[in-house]
């Protein structure tokens, strides 16, 4: 079952912050975040495993609340290069299910 | 350079014809995946393989077939049974099947059936 991402699209000015949410109706083992630019392959950002950890990657960080089956991606002080479509991928249940299911994506546009 | 290669980048076929999309990786990864991407639909899993000579259906396997005869190759055949085959197809690989490892994606093949 596809996780639900929100918002579907967001427009930011350079330097502004954004939050992208990902939620599932089922218990999650992990959440992956990827960014895809138009016409290109998705690029890995980070993985979060259950345990409520938060990870950071430059000015992009994410949290995972396994109780709420939710993850959020935080983009701070956005840059033009952040533009693209962000996908969360979720693995349900326990480790070893091997099936990574992606949401429909959030299109982020950063303008000068 | 290590990576994952999909070919061709663009593919046109007539309706009713089977077509095979190539996916090769030289990363020595055990797991390989095929996803289909349609506008506004995200990435939907077609098939995945954890080891050679073994593969499992994903969420939308109907009308598709795969093989995994070699570790580095995971071709996808879009058969005439697939009702709406026009889409962008992405192949991915990871060091091992499971949630702890990142997936590396190829550049994709855009298939158009006319």
């Amino acid at each position: 079952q596809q996780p639900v991402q929100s918002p579907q699209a967001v427009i930011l000015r350079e330097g502004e912050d954004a939050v992208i949410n990902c939620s599932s109706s089922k218990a999650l083992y992990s959440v992956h975040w990827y960014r895809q630019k138009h016409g290109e392959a998705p690029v890995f950002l980070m993985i979060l495993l259950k345990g409520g950890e938060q990870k950071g990657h430059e000015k992009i960080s994410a949290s995972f609340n396994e109780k709420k089956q939710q993850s959020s991606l935080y983009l701070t002080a956005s840059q033009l290069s952040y533009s693209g479509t962000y996908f969360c991928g979720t693995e349900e249940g326990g480790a070893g299910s091997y099936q990574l299911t992606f949401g429909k994506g959030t299109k982020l546009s950063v303008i000068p | 350079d290590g990576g994952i290669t999909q070919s061709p980048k663009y593919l046109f076929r007539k309706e009713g014809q089977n077509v095979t999309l190539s996916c090769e990786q030289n990363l020595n990864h055990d797991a390989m995946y095929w996803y289909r991407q349609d506008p506004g639909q995200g990435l939907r899993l077609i098939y995945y393989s954890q080891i050679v000579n073994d593969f499992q259906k994903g969420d939308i396997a109907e009308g598709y077939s795969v093989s995994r005869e070699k570790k580095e190759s995971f071709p996808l055949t879009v058969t005439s049974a697939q009702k709406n085959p026009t889409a962008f197809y992405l192949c991915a690989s990871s060091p091992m099947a499971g949630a702890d490892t990142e997936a590396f994606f190829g550049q994709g093949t855009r298939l158009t059936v006319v």
Side-chain angles (χ1 to χ4, degrees):
Chain A
Q1 185 175 6
Q2 278 187 300
V4 177
Q5 288 186 234
S6 64
Q8 291 184 350
V10 59
I11 299 175
L12 298 175
R13 291 200 178 274
E14 269 187 297
E16 291 183 338
D17 302 339
V19 180
I20 299 172
N21 299 304
C22 175
S23 64
S24 174
S25 59
K26 300 195 175 185
L28 299 178
Y29 176 73
S30 71
V31 179
H32 296 222
W33 285 97
Y34 290 79
R35 177 173 60 208
Q36 184 181 32
K37 294 187 179 286
H38 183 69
E40 298 181 7
V43 173
F44 171 78
L45 294 176
M46 63 190 78
I47 295 174
L48 300 102
L49 304 180
K50 71 176 182 179
E53 65 178 287
Q54 183 157 349
K55 283 195 172 182
H57 179 74
E58 296 179 343
K59 294 181 181 178
I60 301 174
S61 62
S63 63
F64 177 26
N65 186 326
E66 65 181 273
K67 290 183 180 179
K68 293 185 177 180
Q69 294 134 217
Q70 293 177 345
S71 177
S72 294
L73 185 71
Y74 307 93
L75 300 103
T76 59
S78 58
Q79 306 168 14
L80 295 176
S81 61
Y82 287 4
S83 293
T85 300
Y86 289 78
F87 294 98
C88 70
T90 57
E91 185 190 43
E92 299 171 358
S97 68
Y98 305 132
Q99 186 165 334
L100 189 59
T101 305
F102 287 92
K104 294 185 177 182
T106 296
K107 186 174 182 180
L108 177 71
S109 302
V110 181
I111 59 176
Chain B
D1 288 335
I4 182 164
T5 302
Q6 290 186 242
S7 61
K9 191 172 182 178
Y10 299 96
L11 192 54
F12 295 87
R13 278 295 182 271
K14 290 186 177 181
E15 192 173 340
Q17 291 181 335
N18 292 355
V19 60
T20 298
L21 281 60
S22 171
C23 179
E24 303 276 334
Q25 54 97 0
N26 60 5
L27 300 167
N28 199 33
H29 286 174
D30 289 317
M32 297 187 75
Y33 312 82
W34 273 106
Y35 290 91
R36 170 179 171 142
Q37 189 172 27
D38 297 283
Q41 295 299 315
L43 304 168
R44 292 184 289 171
L45 183 64
I46 304 172
Y47 270 97
Y48 61 101
S49 168
Q50 302 168 37
I51 56 173
V52 174
N53 292 323
D54 186 50
F55 47 84
Q56 287 78 39
K57 294 182 178 180
D59 297 322
I60 56 167
E62 186 175 350
Y64 300 96
S65 66
V66 294
S67 63
R68 187 86 187 276
E69 297 177 0
K70 298 185 296 182
K71 187 175 185 178
E72 58 269 23
S73 179
F74 192 40
L76 173 74
T77 296
V78 185
T79 74
S80 56
Q82 168 52 231
K83 298 302 180 189
N84 188 17
T86 295
F88 187 55
Y89 291 88
L90 283 162
C91 179
S93 70
S94 63
M96 65 179 74
D100 298 3
T101 56
E102 92 180 70
F104 293 79
F105 284 85
Q107 293 299 309
T109 292
R110 189 167 297 279
L111 173 65
T112 303
V113 176
V114 296

